[in-house]
Amino acid sequence: MTRKLAGIVMAVAVLTTASCKKESTKTQEVFYYSGPVTLEAAIGGQDFNLNFRTNCNWELQIPAEAGWIKANTTSGNGNGTAKAFTVLLTVEANSGKDAREASIKLAYGSRSFSKEIKVRQPSQSSMKGCTVTNITDDILFSTVPAGTSTSVQQGFDFNADKSMMYFSQVTSGYKNTISWTPRTAVTSSTTLATNKLTLLYYSHGNNIHYEKGTDGADYLWIANWGTRDSEGKYTNPQVLSRIKLVNGKTYRPADAEDSYYFGTKTVHASFDVENDHLAIYSQGDGYTMKIYKLSEVLATPLSDVQLQYSLTNGGTANGKTSPDPEYVGKPTIKAHDCRSLKPVASFTNNYTGTRGWQTYCIHGEKVYFFLFYKQTNPAANGMYYQSVIDVFDFKGNKLKGDILQPFADNLTDLIRYGFTDDATRYMENEGILVRDGILYLLYTAKNTAGFRRPVIFQFDASCLD
């Protein structure tokens, strides 16, 4: 299914300036293009916005053989005044067996100049499955560092054209760092994200969800209103909140743009916008998975809601002193009260025992749990963690379990790419997303120097069938 996501603002990757002279008017012509020179479209189809400014006449040239690429307009003219233009480029779903690629051109001015943009799209058969044993460039989706290298990357997401990565990290007992940075598939750079904000007293921050707002601003959804434990860490969040991404800003729980209350605690949320679903997996009602209609959640009215469970935030704990005095109680907050909503599906699943639970995601009518086995030192394969995936339907039936990802245990390849080293042997699974037929898996890698890097792999999601 093609995702219609208008208003995409591309990351500034290239700036092209050209000048030429029209013989009839002798007017200097200029053209500025900001955006990727390679567009990586999802298997299920994807929309991109080509944003540029020019005072020239321009034309978008799409090869005749690339009938799978459409545009809402293919020509225009600045008529001597630099104007902003946006072309909505639609890449249709690839139902064929082969990956495909085409080069489109933005020709401008006297037509002596053009900017070439490559469009690439994989097919299901051209992508590898998550049970591969070797790490190669084609399974790497992003290796760009997050906001800090000293803490684990808990959650991740990306924007519609996959040009920007978003990460959540717990950077102290009471503080989360949210960062966003242009995506790079394969890089050895250790340059950290420059765009970041701080959340105080929110939660551990496992799952996050990126949203391009109707106002054109960038937003992130994350669990909120956590409570301080004896170690000074924040757990058991009771609220799902939406925050506006503003570089350098600090948010306290009540500062969130919007909040949603489900009457439980230890909230872990997963969005499936394509299928109008929002899942809330929580400990407060016995490790229950509840899947709601996302549209119904968003339509609930705003009211004053008193949280059900007492919480503690601020103050000092375990040698960590926060910037606010201690609060203990059940605060009343402005939130959308979702307690009366009837879920479309619900089941209980408590992960305990031999495997550790990290996170999960939903897509279609399946739930994907990302788990791990913590192994002895030294483990048989040399790694401390071994990751597995369990797949359930919305009725709570296990469709498939213990799906291993052996590539993440390939110490030779992990060292070759610089993710970890022989002394550390650390590659911990943290996040999972299924979008448009593609499976994305987030791992945090660490080396002897303590540098933690998020490594995200991409696979044909049918490997979980």
Side-chain angles (χ1 to χ4, degrees), residues 119-255:
V119 182
R120 294 174 178 167
Q121 188 180 37
S123 68
Q124 291 285 0
S125 58
S126 66
M127 294 196 74
K128 294 179 179 177
C130 60
T131 57
V132 296
T133 57
N134 296 107
I135 300 175
T136 50
D137 287 3
D138 57 332
I139 71 170
L140 289 171
F141 175 71
S142 177
T143 63
V144 63
T148 173
S149 66
T150 57
S151 61
V152 172
Q153 294 79 31
Q154 299 290 344
F156 78 106
D157 204 353
F158 44 84
N159 61 355
D161 69 2
K162 305 180 184 178
S163 61
M164 292 289 288
M165 296 302 307
Y166 302 84
F167 298 103
S168 66
Q169 297 173 270
V170 180
T171 47
S172 78
Y174 58 86
K175 185 188 302 182
N176 295 81
T177 294
I178 303 297
S179 62
W180 55 104
T181 188
R183 177 176 73 91
T184 302
V186 184
T187 180
S188 58
S189 172
T190 56
T191 301
L192 300 175
T194 57
N195 298 306
K196 62 187 78 173
L197 58 80
T198 300
L199 304 178
L200 301 181
Y201 326 127
Y202 271 57
S203 67
H204 198 62
N206 289 68
N207 278 4
I208 60 175
H209 173 73
Y210 167 81
E211 176 198 347
K212 171 63 71 174
T214 56
D215 58 358
D218 299 314
Y219 294 89
L220 208 68
W221 294 76
I222 190 169
N224 189 4
W225 288 98
T227 186
R228 194 189 73 203
D229 64 15
S230 59
E231 296 181 356
K233 299 177 182 178
Y234 281 74
T235 62
N236 296 327
Q238 300 183 53
V239 177
L240 176 63
S241 289
R242 177 180 183 257
I243 61 169
K244 189 174 184 178
L245 294 178
V246 180
N247 189 27
K249 186 168 182 176
T250 296
Y251 285 91
R252 288 166 174 80
D255 296 332

Side-chain angles (χ1 to χ4, degrees), residues 300-465:
T300 53
L302 192 65
S303 60
D304 291 327
V305 176
Q306 184 176 28
L307 302 188
Q308 180 177 345
Y309 301 94
S310 180
L311 59 83
T312 301
N313 65 29
T316 300
N318 197 26
K320 300 180 177 69
T321 301
S322 69
D324 298 301
E326 182 177 274
Y327 168 85
V328 180
K330 300 177 181 179
T332 296
I333 68 170
K334 286 286 185 183
H336 298 264
D337 192 346
C338 303
R339 286 176 291 183
S340 63
L341 290 180
K342 183 179 179 180
V344 298
S346 178
F347 64 89
T348 299
N349 185 13
N350 184 2
Y351 272 107
T352 59
T354 58
R355 297 182 300 172
W357 180 80
Q358 288 288 60
T359 187
Y360 79 102
C361 75
I362 61 168
H363 186 74
E365 293 191 359
K366 293 180 180 179
V367 181
Y368 303 89
F369 287 99
F370 207 14
L371 315 164
F372 69 90
Y373 289 98
K374 190 168 184 180
Q375 304 186 106
T376 57
N377 181 22
N381 65 352
M383 302 299 293
Y384 285 105
Y385 296 97
Q386 188 174 43
S387 55
V388 296
I389 299 172
D390 282 357
V391 184
F392 286 76
D393 63 19
F394 276 12
K395 295 180 180 180
N397 300 311
K398 183 184 287 190
L399 304 178
K400 200 169 183 179
D402 262 6
I403 305 171
L404 292 169
Q405 293 84 60
F407 66 90
D409 299 328
N410 189 325
L411 183 59
T412 299
D413 283 353
L414 293 172
I415 293 174
R416 179 166 58 88
Y417 276 91
F419 298 147
T420 189
D421 48 50
D422 186 59
T424 310
R425 303 187 179 196
Y426 182 94
M427 191 76 167
E428 184 178 4
N429 59 314
E430 294 291 345
I432 182 171
L433 286 174
V434 177
R435 300 257 179 91
D436 298 312
I438 301 176
L439 167 68
Y440 301 93
L441 299 177
L442 165 67
Y443 289 78
T444 289
K446 184 177 71 170
N447 60 19
T448 303
F451 189 92
R452 286 179 166 89
R453 175 192 296 275
V455 183
I456 300 171
F457 300 90
Q458 59 181 353
F459 304 99
D460 176 2
S462 66
C463 68
L464 302 178
D465 294 340

Side-chain angles (χ1 to χ4, degrees), residues 252-275:
R252 288 166 174 80
D255 296 332
E257 298 283 331
D258 227 358
S259 290
Y260 293 78
Y261 183 62
F262 297 87
T264 186
K265 65 178 180 179
T266 319
V267 169
H268 297 279
S270 177
F271 287 74
D272 183 2
V273 176
E274 181 181 355
N275 295 293

